[in-house]
């Protein structure tokens, strides 16, 4: 906080007591939080500062990491760490982003892209990507995952840039350097499920629901009982990357795994909120979907009943090429073995008809 201290906040609607255990150099001390009508607990700890480690204690149980932790320096099971979101000295004030039509994207896995396998390790290679004609790098998911190496799709701390890659300040350095090199930065984000290891969300609240299933287990609770805070958790995460990390775009993983019968749909609400924030920041932010539904509503403007994404991955083209090269026809690749499908996917946006999740030919039927 500007006047000193840190405000700790967490949603735990079923808890009777919540405390934050802060370790700021002295013996860790517990500080009681106060509950509001929505089950959100909060308190200001005047002695806490950036760099202090902390955990939440619910009803006298084990100390747990913050679901919205900005940094997990000791991996998914360890304490969270306070970060000053305004502490980084950005140098990209003149950068305003790129239009979607100007994107030439290089998909980048931070852990394998450089010998160091870190955010900082990628920086010396940015100029070379720009010389190739790349205009945007897309970082595969960087939210904290268990262990030191992972594709990133089993992240459990959605707000915490991976500690093995260098954590939040290193990610900011990478984005700042990319902008200096003329490269936009797209972050791959996963809102269709949470990873299994280090996932303490169930101790806090109903983040998932058994009323619907996905290939990864119970669906995220975006439309059931007490879902308002879960929706907020996802939408504010998107805003967080755009605002605090200057991300130029987000690629939303497998949106066909996002189950929501609400109006507006979570995706439409998320796109609208991000675009309002981009306008307020005076920047161009592009939103890209991965979808196996083959439904043009994904990129149809909101005014026409769509979700309003700027683009979506051409999965039919990808699947047709994959089958041609590997011969694999199981799962996602079923039905893509016919000759001529590559040409068809280049000619038409969708080769297969639109299908809803759970339909007989849907991705996880």
């Amino acid at each position: 906080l500007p006047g000193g201290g840190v405000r700790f906040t967490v949603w735990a609607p079923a808890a009777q007591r919540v405390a934050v255990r802060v370790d700021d150099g002295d013996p860790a001390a517990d500080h009681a939080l106060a509950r509001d009508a929505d089950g959100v607990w909060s308190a200001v700890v005047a002695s806490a500062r950036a760099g202090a480690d902390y955990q939440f204690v619910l009803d006298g149980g084990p100390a747990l990491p913050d679901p919205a932790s900005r940094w997990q320096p000791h991996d998914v099971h360890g304490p969270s760490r306070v970060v000053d979101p305004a502490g980084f000295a950005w140098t990209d004030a003149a950068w305003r982003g790129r239009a979607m039509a100007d994107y030439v994207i290089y998909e980048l896995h931070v852990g394998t892209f450089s010998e160091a396998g870190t955010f900082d390790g990628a920086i010396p290679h940015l100029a070379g990507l720009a010389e190739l004609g790349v205009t945007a790098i897309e970082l595969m998911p960087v939210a904290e995952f268990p262990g030191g190496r992972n594709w990133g799709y089993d992240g459990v701390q959605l707000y915490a840039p991976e500690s093995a890659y260098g954590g939040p300040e290193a990610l900011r350095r990478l984005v700042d350097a990319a902008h200096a090199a003329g490269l936009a930065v797209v972050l791959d984000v996963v809102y269709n499920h949470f990873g299994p290891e280090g996932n303490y969300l169930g101790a806090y609240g109903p983040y998932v629901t058994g009323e619907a299933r996905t290939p990864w287990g119970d669906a995220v609770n975006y439309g059931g009982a007490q879902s308002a805070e879960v929706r907020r958790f996802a939408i504010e995460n998107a805003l967080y990357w755009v605002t605090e990390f200057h991300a130029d775009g987000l690629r939303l993983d497998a949106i066909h795994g996002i189950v929501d019968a609400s109006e507006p749909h979570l995706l439409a609400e998320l796109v609208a909120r991000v675009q309002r924030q981009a306008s307020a920041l005076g920047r161009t932010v592009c939103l890209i979907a991965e979808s196996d539904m083959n439904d043009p509503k994904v990129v149809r403007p909101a005014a026409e009943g769509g979700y309003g994404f700027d683009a979506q991955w051409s999965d039919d083209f990808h699947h047709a090429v994959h089958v041609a090269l590997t011969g694999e026809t199981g799962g996602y690749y079923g039905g893509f073995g016919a000759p001529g499908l590559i040409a068809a996917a280049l000619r038409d946006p969708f080769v297969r008809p639109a299908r809803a999740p759970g339909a007989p030919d849907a991705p996880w039927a």
Side-chain angles (χ1 to χ4, degrees), residues 225-263:
Q226 296 184 297
S227 62
E229 288 295 329
V230 183
R231 294 172 70 92
R232 178 183 171 192
F233 184 76
I235 291 170
E236 292 194 355
N237 181 256
L239 297 172
Y240 166 77
W241 295 122
V242 169
T243 305
E244 294 194 14
F245 288 86
H246 295 199
D248 301 291
L250 301 173
R251 179 266 191 192
L252 273 67
D253 177 66
I255 65 167
H256 46 266
I258 293 175
V259 181
D260 181 24
S262 305
E263 184 61 41

Side-chain angles (χ1 to χ4, degrees), residues 88-111:
F88 184 76
W90 291 94
T91 65
D92 65 349
W95 178 263
R96 287 293 176 263
R98 287 185 177 275
M100 188 73 242
D102 295 331
Y103 271 42
V104 177
I105 300 174
Y106 183 99
E107 186 178 23
L108 191 159
H109 181 272
V110 175

Side-chain angles (χ1 to χ4, degrees), residues 6 20 74 91 142 180 199 207 264 288 304 306 344 361 363:
V6 174
V20 61
H74 305 294
T91 65
V142 300
N199 181 356
Y207 280 85
I288 305 167
E304 299 174 18
D361 62 346

Side-chain angles (χ1 to χ4, degrees), residues 155-167:
V156 292
Q157 294 283 350
L158 300 195
Y159 287 74
E162 172 57 36
S163 56
Y165 295 164

